[in-house]
Amino acid sequence: MANSDKANSGKGVLVTGGVGFIGYHVCRALLARGDQVTVVDDFSDAPYPRAYKERNAADLVAEYPAIRVLTACVTDPTAMAAAMEGAGAVIHLAGLAGVRPSFADPARYARVNVEGSATVYELAREAGVSRFAFASSSSVYGNATPLPAAESAPAMTPESPYAASKRAAELVLETLSRQAPAMPCAALRFFTVYGPRQRPEMAITLFTRAVLAGKPITLFGDGSMRRDFTHVADIVPGVLAALDRAPAGFRAYNLGSGAPVDLDALIALIGRATGHAPAVEHAPVPRGDVDATFADVARAATELGWTPRIPLVDGLRDVVDWVRAHP
């Protein structure tokens, strides 16, 4: 999108969680189109090692020296208020991710994902920020939502503390947005995002590394679980479109491929992409895992002009190339 179409009137964009997997790619896209970007990240080791985030930060600074990277937690109102200075828009991606680890520390997930989101939103509103977008998750739909899942579904039966914290953050921000009805507040429900720099514990990267190393894949269940895998290069334009084009007030958007595959099919595709036959060991399905995810992306197409474009077979080649280059 050309600079003249941006909605933040030349002011900077604050990106929380900007050195995480999705955050890195979003920041590069913002910087490439000429935005001034400030990143706030706490560089925590949850749910994956800090070194991954440090590498992302170093790569961003090397490519775009003007970027500002601050170390702070979104639950710290003093630090966040200082970071908000000069921001015309906020993309709030920071949070604790992971369905399974959320059972071990649900209070921390609530604190970071709900309290942190409320803190960032309220400070943005007080600072006069004009547009706000934040990361939610397809996990909010649980198992009870008819598929393909549409944003109009109640989404009130999450299957994990992580999913509950994301839905709770949506409800809190939807309520707070009534205090700033002119400011767009877009909740972005990401569907199983993959691609280069993906979190190491996520299925596609984890499976690809195992196959390339000649190790067995641990597959939970019988392989029939379905996931709507979405390439990060599709997600990023959706994030920017929501930031620039979402209407006033609170609005949720699904960002997914709309083409789910079962895990058996995924493993076969990884085998083709790597040129190696995967070995599979089965294990029980962990608590919190849903049976299937499947995005209805009609709202994003109609209101944001966004549609996913990268087929899974093509996206997997990106991951294989990345993993081979970063053993």
Side-chain angles (χ1 to χ4, degrees):
M1 181 177 296
N3 272 357
S4 59
D5 292 333
K6 293 185 298 182
N8 60 323
S9 303
K11 291 186 177 181
V13 181
L14 175 65
V15 183
T16 70
V19 297
F21 163 44
I22 297 173
Y24 167 86
H25 292 282
V26 167
C27 286
R28 284 193 77 237
L30 290 167
L31 291 159
R33 74 178 196 174
D35 282 295
Q36 302 169 25
V37 175
T38 295
V39 168
V40 172
D41 205 296
D42 69 354
F43 288 87
S44 75
D45 59 0
Y48 59 101
R50 175 188 179 105
Y52 288 84
K53 300 166 189 177
E54 291 174 336
R55 178 181 62 195
N56 289 343
D59 289 350
L60 282 171
V61 170
E63 187 175 6
Y64 294 100
I67 190 173
R68 187 167 63 134
V69 180
L70 307 176
T71 302
C73 183
V74 293
T75 58
D76 182 342
T78 301
M80 291 308 304
M84 200 74 65
E85 185 177 348
V90 172
I91 301 175
H92 174 45
L93 303 177
L96 281 178
V99 166
R100 297 161 200 160
S102 70
F103 286 95
D105 198 352
R108 186 182 180 196
Y109 273 75
R111 186 166 59 252
V112 174
N113 292 349
V114 184
E115 179 187 338
S117 296
T119 297
V120 174
Y121 182 85
E122 279 294 270
L123 289 170
R125 183 178 65 82
E126 292 169 4
V129 164
S130 62
R131 305 187 74 82
F132 192 97
F134 71 102
S136 186
S137 169
S138 63
S139 297
V140 303
Y141 291 115
N143 274 322
T145 302
L147 300 179
E151 296 91 341
S152 57
M156 295 303 290
T157 53
E159 299 291 335
S160 66
Y162 166 71
S165 73
K166 285 297 189 178
R167 186 67 178 113
E170 288 187 355
L171 292 170
V172 170
L173 267 60
E174 182 176 10
T175 302
L176 292 174
S177 71
R178 298 184 194 121
Q179 308 303 310
M183 181 171 75
C185 179
L188 307 176
R189 294 174 177 173
F190 297 142
F191 280 70
T192 318
V193 186
Y194 74 99
R197 299 177 190 257
Q198 185 187 33
R199 288 167 24 213
E201 85 282 7
M202 296 296 286
I204 286 180
T205 293
L206 187 67
F207 291 179
T208 299
R209 287 197 182 279
V211 171
L212 289 174
K215 297 179 180 178
I217 290 171
T218 299
L219 177 61
F220 297 117
D222 61 4
S224 64
M225 285 196 299
R226 291 189 301 153
R227 291 293 180 268
D228 193 327
F229 295 104
T230 314
H231 197 285
V232 69
D234 276 333
I235 290 292
V236 170
V239 174
L240 270 57
L243 186 72
D244 295 340
R245 303 176 190 171
F250 179 91
R251 194 71 164 157
Y253 293 99
N254 289 338
L255 297 183
S257 72
V261 300
D262 63 49
L263 297 186
D264 273 343
L266 171 69
I267 291 170
L269 289 171
I270 290 174
R272 292 178 203 164
T274 59
H276 297 273
V280 177
E281 295 178 348
H282 291 269
V285 176
R287 60 179 174 172
D289 279 20
V290 298
D291 298 330
T293 62
F294 183 1
D296 180 338
V297 296
R299 179 182 289 182
T302 300
E303 298 184 9
L304 304 180
W306 176 86
T307 54
R309 301 184 184 280
I310 301 175
L312 180 59
V313 66
D314 294 338
L316 288 176
R317 285 195 287 266
D318 288 344
V319 176
V320 172
D321 289 345
W322 168 260
V323 170
R324 280 181 166 144
H326 300 84

